[in-house]
Amino acid sequence: MRIILAGGLDSALTHFAMIGLAEILQEADASRVRLQWKDSAKAEPTVSWDGPEVAEAVLAHARRHADQDSWVQAKVSFTTPRGEKTFGLFSPRLPLPEKESEVQQFEDHREEFLDSDLTALDHLMISNLGEPGYWIFDRNTRLPDSSASRWEMKTRNHGEEFVGNRLSKLASIVSSFDKDSIDAGLTGRKISDPLGKDKLDSRTSTGLTPPGPVDDALAWCGLWGISGFTLVPGTGSDISATAGAVPQQRRHPRSLVIPITEKPISPAAWRALMETRAIIDITYSDESSMATASDYLKARGVLGICTFPVYTTNNSKAPEQMILSGAFYPLNRVPNDLH
């Protein structure tokens, strides 16, 4: 079986949805799951597999996480400078609890879920989202957001956060869709955005596109695509390294870089490719590093890379990030000004 998703090479949401959907299908016991930009007059974002219907797998996945026992619905309450607040337990960017005892309770509650009956995809998503880095300092200033994935881009206005105010709500909405609606949304035949109320300034994509309505089923797969971008935790004052983020040591990266392969690739192989240093080195101005990276990627079936500018507003309290339209470059023509 196969599906051609909505969007094109220039859409970060489409790239994220491809890996997110592939991971969801694998969790549903699909076999031979592969991602491919199928060669045609217009590159087609294709996911192929043997196993269940795609809408059936997505619906079951959303329903499981809409259940109150899911980690996506788990909450934690603690004292902040604005009083006691409730948050999604697994949001990677949260304020620091005011009381030391609440920090320990928060960590204990997370550990209880991590030791429960989670799937491999659940663990992958939680791991690559990151967690509040209460241990990270720059001089005497805590930098808890530094250990979160760069691709978790929920704007923090009014104390909102990613899991409680976006992922959990999307789970409830998508779990109410019928299978035809999910199929239509994934393939672009229809855009249904109840979360964003179909408004022109909808933020349902959570930074994977500029503001505007997107289908909620496609967004659900796209946000689960964060699971495919490996996060390597930093220590001390170091920012955690997120796959595809350029440069690596900026809280707000300037660019997203994604390789495009010639042949179908499995989710595990795609993640491994995204983890390679060559993905970052191909964007350097040093010709030797670029040439070495190009040779490495070419040997692994990479045709070129898509680069996406990442825009960050200048709001100092709650900056909004969004990935803009990207462009494809063959390996020998990658721009060296992405840093």
Side-chain angles (χ1 to χ4, degrees):
M1 303 178 76
R2 72 168 188 158
I3 185 172
I4 298 173
L5 295 179
L9 281 169
D10 61 348
S11 169
L13 174 60
T14 300
H15 289 267
F16 275 73
M18 286 178 74
I19 184 63
L21 177 59
E23 299 282 11
I24 289 169
L25 285 165
Q26 280 199 155
E27 185 183 72
D29 293 327
S31 60
R32 299 183 58 80
V33 180
R34 298 292 185 270
L35 301 80
Q36 180 185 18
W37 285 91
K38 197 167 181 62
D39 189 19
S40 65
K42 179 182 179 182
E44 296 176 330
T46 306
V47 179
S48 59
W49 71 99
D50 294 332
E53 293 181 4
V54 66
E56 180 181 312
V58 172
L59 185 58
H61 182 255
R63 284 177 174 171
R64 184 164 67 80
H65 291 295
D67 189 284
Q68 291 305 304
D69 290 335
S70 168
W71 66 269
V72 172
Q73 303 300 329
K75 301 291 189 291
V76 63
S77 297
F78 52 74
T79 308
T80 74
R82 297 183 178 182
E84 184 169 294
K85 301 291 183 181
T86 299
F87 306 98
L89 178 63
F90 283 94
S91 280
R93 292 184 296 133
L94 294 175
L96 176 70
E98 290 281 284
K99 301 175 182 177
E100 191 65 33
S101 61
E102 292 177 326
V103 176
Q104 188 59 56
Q105 291 170 4
F106 171 65
E107 294 294 342
D108 289 346
H109 196 14
R110 283 178 62 97
E111 287 297 323
E112 288 175 14
F113 267 91
L114 292 174
D115 290 337
S116 65
D117 190 23
L118 300 181
T119 68
L121 178 54
D122 288 334
H123 280 289
L124 191 63
M125 181 67 163
I126 291 170
S127 174
N128 288 337
L129 274 176
E131 63 180 312
Y134 299 140
W135 62 90
I136 298 178
F137 287 84
D138 181 10
R139 299 179 178 87
N140 293 321
T141 303
R142 288 185 187 268
L143 301 172
D145 291 0
S146 295
S147 59
S149 169
R150 301 287 83 87
W151 311 131
E152 187 278 274
M153 296 178 285
K154 175 71 180 77
T155 307
R156 294 289 307 286
N157 50 321
H158 307 297
E160 291 193 351
E161 33 78 20
F162 177 71
V163 175
N165 297 105
R166 184 54 42 80
L167 201 63
S168 65
K169 291 183 177 180
L170 263 181
S172 299
I173 289 171
V174 177
S175 67
S176 70
F177 283 3
D178 58 41
K179 290 193 286 187
D180 286 343
S181 295
I182 291 175
D183 269 324
L186 293 179
T187 57
R189 290 185 287 111
K190 180 181 178 182
I191 294 178
S192 180
D193 185 13
L195 181 65
K197 299 179 181 178
D198 294 307
K199 292 183 177 180
L200 294 178
D201 63 349
S202 167
R203 262 60 173 188
T204 295
S205 70
T206 320
L208 297 181
T209 70
V214 299
D215 187 81
D216 286 9
L218 188 67
W220 174 254
C221 293
L223 294 180
W224 275 85
I226 294 172
S227 67
F229 291 78
T230 300
L231 180 72
V232 179
T235 58
S237 61
D238 292 337
I239 293 175
S240 295
T242 303
V246 178
Q248 287 280 295
Q249 291 301 315
R250 277 178 61 95
R251 174 65 192 94
H252 302 297
R254 294 190 180 96
S255 304
L256 162 68
V257 177
I258 295 179
I260 305 300
T261 58
E262 180 180 8
K263 296 179 180 179
I265 186 170
S266 70
W270 190 90
R271 291 197 307 272
L273 185 60
M274 283 298 303
E275 292 170 6
T276 62
R277 180 70 199 182
I279 297 297
I280 305 302
D281 287 349
I282 193 70
T283 66
Y284 280 164
S285 57
D286 173 33
E287 290 186 6
S288 176
S289 295
M290 292 182 71
T292 300
S294 179
D295 290 344
Y296 179 93
L297 294 172
K298 186 176 181 180
R300 283 152 183 80
V302 175
L303 294 173
I305 66 169
C306 283
T307 68
F308 299 83
V310 180
Y311 174 72
T312 305
T313 64
N314 61 3
N315 184 326
S316 60
K317 292 185 177 180
E320 181 175 13
Q321 277 186 273
M322 63 191 74
I323 302 173
L324 306 181
S325 293
F328 172 79
Y329 297 94
L331 288 177
N332 62 349
R333 298 181 184 176
V334 178
N336 58 9
D337 57 354
L338 302 181
H339 291 257

